[in-house]
């Protein structure tokens, strides 16, 4: 499944900045960063459960907000990119 | 069921792979080229001078990501694995079965028969698509002369007999490959390996080595020992079971990719050069084209003829490894090889 994760973390204090960093790091274990606080993850249900638990542990839900968009199987039809920093498709041939 | 996961190919000399969180980062000259989470990967295949950090290799072993190091020309140099995973009882059964000539022959003959049948399908399909009546006749004649070894292989009493019929069918099959190549400037004089003596053989050898990496991973992922086979004899360092598993998939996966690359003109004779030793090598662009085509082929969907499940070409080898494990555990009376219809 393909999940889009966006978040807003209150970065007014060092504590907030730390949470921001840790939320980002967690997302990067499961997918790629497509914009500053926007990540696209290609995960199976078990991996997603694990990821979600980790994210909710890192965030402080009184201060921050997290949004998960489930893009399903046909995510390619639902995503359109314009401009710089195009993402790569994790199912395309990966040749570096 | 396993998801179809991707393989990361690192082809740039001087790349360095390191671990970053639970992801692999590919750096070339201090610049990050790519960053892929380990959960999206099934294997990493490195060609040529590529380095990797111990932390990454450890994380890959832990996550079940097979790391293979290949020479620039796609010969396997080494594979990095952690502690042998899988099921010790299954592996013991595998060894006992491999030690028993009758039981080995029972598996080997199914593999050989499926391989011959799938080779015939390649020829017959090309014959159908060909507009040249001479080529049509030649391919159909070759397919007909493969019927006998196919029939005999099905009932082979020993591994050696099965191997004999396989050799006979393979000779017939590769003899008509020139007709399959359709005058695109490629000429092939039978199968040659170590070294491959013409571009077509170089292409096939390269694709087979990719397939063997996948077959190896599949065998290990199913809890089997990739070095103990039934059709292929033990030899130090030889992944005999991986070779067994890929045998029936060679025509369907590798040969068809090679043929379509040539027939579509995506690969041309200019993309190869001959070294002093007579070995034929691919240039970098050709190699990338071939890698892409192989990966794309693995994403094609099909319904598994035995399981009736929708799957992808890339998962076939994993499904076959699991079917073989089920046969070894006596859950299946026979090993059902993959037959392409």
């Amino acid at each position: 499944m393909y999940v889009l994760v966006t978040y807003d973390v209150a970065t007014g204090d060092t504590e907030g900045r730390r949470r921001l960093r840790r939320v980002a790091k967690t997302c990067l274990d499961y997918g790629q960063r497509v914009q500053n606080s926007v990540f696209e993850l290609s995960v199976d249900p078990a991996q997603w459960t694990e990821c979600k638990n980790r994210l909710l542990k890192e965030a402080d839900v009184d201060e921050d907000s997290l949004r998960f968009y489930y893009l399903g199987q046909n995510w390619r039809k639902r995503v359109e990119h314009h401009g710089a920093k195009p993402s790569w498709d994790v199912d395309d041939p990966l040749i570096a | 069921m396993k998801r179809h996961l991707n393989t990361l190919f690192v082809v740039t000399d001087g790349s360095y792979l390191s671990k970053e969180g639970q992801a692999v980062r590919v750096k070339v000259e201090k610049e990050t080229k790519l960053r892929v989470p380990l959960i999206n990967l099934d294997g990493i295949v490195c060609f040529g001078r590529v380095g990797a950090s111990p932390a990454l290799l450890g994380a890959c072993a832990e996550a079940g990501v097979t790391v293979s190091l290949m020479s620039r020309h796609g010969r396997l140099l080494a594979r990095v694995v952690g502690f042998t995973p899988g099921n010790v009882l299954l592996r013991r059964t595998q060894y006992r079965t491999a030690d028993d000539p009758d039981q080995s022959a029972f598996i080997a003959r199914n593999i050989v028969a499926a391989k011959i049948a799938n080779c015939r399908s390649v020829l017959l399909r090309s014959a159908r698509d060909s507009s040249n009546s001479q080529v049509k006749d030649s391919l159909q004649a070759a397919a007909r002369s493969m019927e006998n070894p196919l029939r005999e292989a099905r009932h082979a009493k020993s591994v050696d007999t099965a191997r004999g019929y396989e050799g006979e069918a393979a000779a017939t099959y590769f003899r008509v490959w020139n007709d399959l190549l359709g005058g695109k400037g490629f000429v092939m004089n039978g199968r040659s390996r170590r070294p491959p003596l013409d571009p077509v053989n170089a292409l096939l050898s390269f694709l087979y080595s990719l397939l063997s990496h996948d077959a190896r991973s599949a065998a290990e992922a199913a809890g089997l020992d990739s070095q103990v086979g039934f059709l292929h004899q033990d030899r130090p360092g030889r992944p005999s079971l991986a070779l067994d598993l890929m045998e029936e998939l060679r025509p369907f996966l590798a040969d068809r990719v090679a043929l379509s690359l040539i027939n579509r003109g995506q690969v041309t004779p200019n993309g190869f050069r001959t070294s002093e030793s007579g070995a034929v090598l691919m240039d970098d662009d050709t190699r990338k084209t071939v890698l892409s085509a192989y990966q794309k082929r693995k994403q094609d969907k099909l319904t598994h003829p035995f399981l009736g499940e929708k799957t992808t070409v890339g998962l076939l080898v994993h499904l076959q490894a699991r079917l073989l494990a089920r046969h070894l555990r006596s859950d299946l009376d026979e090993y059902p090889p993959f037959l392409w219809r």
Side-chain angles (χ1 to χ4, degrees):
Chain A
M1 58 200 260
Y2 212 74
V3 186
L4 184 78
V5 175
T6 61
Y7 56 79
D8 228 339
V9 173
T11 52
D13 50 6
T14 45
E15 194 49 38
R17 282 193 286 278
R18 179 171 167 271
R19 288 200 306 273
L20 178 80
R21 241 188 350 262
R22 295 178 64 104
V23 165
K25 272 204 162 139
T26 304
C27 284
L28 281 172
D29 281 350
Y30 298 89
Q32 60 176 327
R33 190 174 215 140
V34 290
Q35 279 173 357
N36 276 341
S37 304
V38 182
F39 292 83
E40 286 178 10
L41 323 180
S42 170
V43 282
D44 67 24
Q47 288 161 346
W48 172 238
T49 309
E50 186 185 51
C51 173
K52 195 161 115 181
N53 285 340
R54 280 176 60 187
L55 287 173
L56 295 173
K57 255 213 289 284
E58 294 297 352
D60 174 352
V61 287
D62 297 332
E63 302 264 351
D64 317 329
S65 73
L66 281 160
R67 287 179 83 86
F68 306 139
Y69 301 80
Y70 299 100
L71 297 175
Q73 289 290 339
N74 287 327
W75 62 270
R76 286 179 191 79
K77 290 198 182 78
R78 301 200 172 104
V79 180
E80 209 176 291
H81 181 93
H82 297 280
K85 290 197 291 187
S87 65
W88 42 270
D89 183 339
V90 75
D91 292 324
D92 274 349
L94 296 172
I95 303 174
Chain B
M1 190 55 224
K2 227 177 119 68
R3 273 200 314 159
H4 178 92
L5 296 171
N6 211 334
T7 307
L8 167 64
F9 295 104
V10 185
V11 296
T12 313
D13 261 351
S15 309
Y16 189 74
L17 311 179
S18 54
K19 174 176 166 297
E20 188 189 76
Q22 285 303 305
V24 50
R25 172 204 274 274
V26 184
K27 271 199 218 128
V28 184
E29 308 276 348
K30 302 252 187 325
E31 186 198 346
T32 302
K33 286 277 181 221
L34 197 65
R35 187 186 170 294
V36 192
L38 286 175
I39 57 163
N40 297 132
L41 289 178
D42 171 58
I44 300 177
V45 184
C46 309
F47 294 94
R49 227 163 31 80
V50 176
S53 74
L56 173 74
L57 295 174
C60 286
E62 180 87 19
V65 176
T66 314
V67 182
S68 293
L69 306 173
M70 310 274 203
S71 74
R72 298 219 28 190
H73 317 306
R75 211 168 42 79
L76 183 87
L77 299 171
R79 206 168 56 106
V80 181
V81 286
F83 292 105
T84 313
N87 175 332
V88 62
L89 298 175
L90 176 63
R91 282 203 305 278
R92 273 179 177 275
T93 313
Q94 180 188 351
Y95 302 145
R96 276 196 287 267
T97 308
D99 283 340
D100 180 325
D102 291 347
Q103 286 187 43
S104 291
F106 193 56
I107 297 172
R109 73 188 190 189
N110 282 4
I111 292 173
V112 169
K115 181 192 177 182
I116 299 175
N118 293 342
C119 286
R120 283 187 71 240
S121 299
V122 169
L123 298 184
L124 290 169
R125 176 159 296 220
S126 295
R128 255 207 313 274
D129 297 343
S130 172
S131 47
N132 178 332
S133 65
Q134 226 173 345
V135 167
K136 247 193 215 316
D137 291 344
S138 143
L139 294 179
Q140 279 164 346
R144 261 196 310 280
S145 54
M146 287 163 78
E147 283 168 11
N148 184 50
L150 172 59
R151 238 190 334 265
E152 297 291 341
R154 260 194 215 127
H155 306 292
K157 289 276 182 289
S158 76
V159 173
D160 277 339
T161 325
R163 234 186 255 122
Y165 290 118
E166 184 209 359
E168 184 187 327
T172 310
Y173 174 65
F174 282 115
R175 206 173 300 132
V176 290
W177 257 61
N178 270 331
D179 294 326
L180 295 176
L181 301 171
K184 296 272 176 188
F186 285 93
V187 175
M188 180 185 184
N189 297 318
R191 179 85 182 105
S192 56
R193 351 193 319 265
R194 294 189 202 167
L197 298 173
D198 56 61
V200 181
N201 274 301
L203 190 57
L204 285 176
S205 288
F206 186 71
L207 285 163
Y208 291 156
S209 71
L210 295 179
L211 182 54
S212 90
H213 162 92
D214 288 341
R216 231 176 163 150
S217 306
E220 301 278 342
L224 296 158
D225 184 332
S226 63
Q227 296 207 326
V228 178
F230 306 101
L231 173 65
H232 291 84
Q233 298 288 301
D234 295 359
R235 222 188 272 156
R238 185 193 214 182
S240 296
L241 185 68
L243 297 174
D244 282 7
L245 282 172
M246 69 185 268
E247 210 59 69
E248 69 215 41
L249 297 170
R250 279 175 201 253
F252 178 68
L253 227 168
D255 299 0
R256 298 256 312 157
V257 168
L259 288 170
S260 73
L261 281 169
I262 289 171
N263 289 326
R264 288 193 195 131
Q266 289 168 283
V267 167
T268 60
N270 305 337
F272 297 82
R273 54 183 183 79
T274 310
S275 70
E276 290 90 17
S277 63
V280 174
L281 312 170
M282 274 181 227
D283 65 22
D284 288 356
D285 288 346
T286 302
R287 186 168 339 118
K288 278 187 184 163
T289 308
V290 177
L291 286 172
S292 273
Y294 179 73
Q295 287 301 90
K296 283 256 187 295
R297 177 78 180 111
K298 287 203 297 186
Q299 291 181 346
D300 288 349
K301 293 185 172 65
L302 79 165
T303 303
H304 192 281
F306 179 80
L307 295 165
E309 276 184 53
K310 281 207 175 69
T311 180
T312 58
V313 170
L315 282 179
L316 279 177
V317 73
H318 284 273
L319 291 172
Q320 292 309 125
R322 281 176 167 72
L323 287 170
L324 182 60
R326 275 165 64 182
H327 167 64
L328 292 173
R329 289 194 188 102
S330 311
D331 296 341
L332 286 173
D333 291 343
E334 273 196 60
Y335 165 63
F338 173 76
L339 281 170
W340 177 44
R341 292 194 178 84

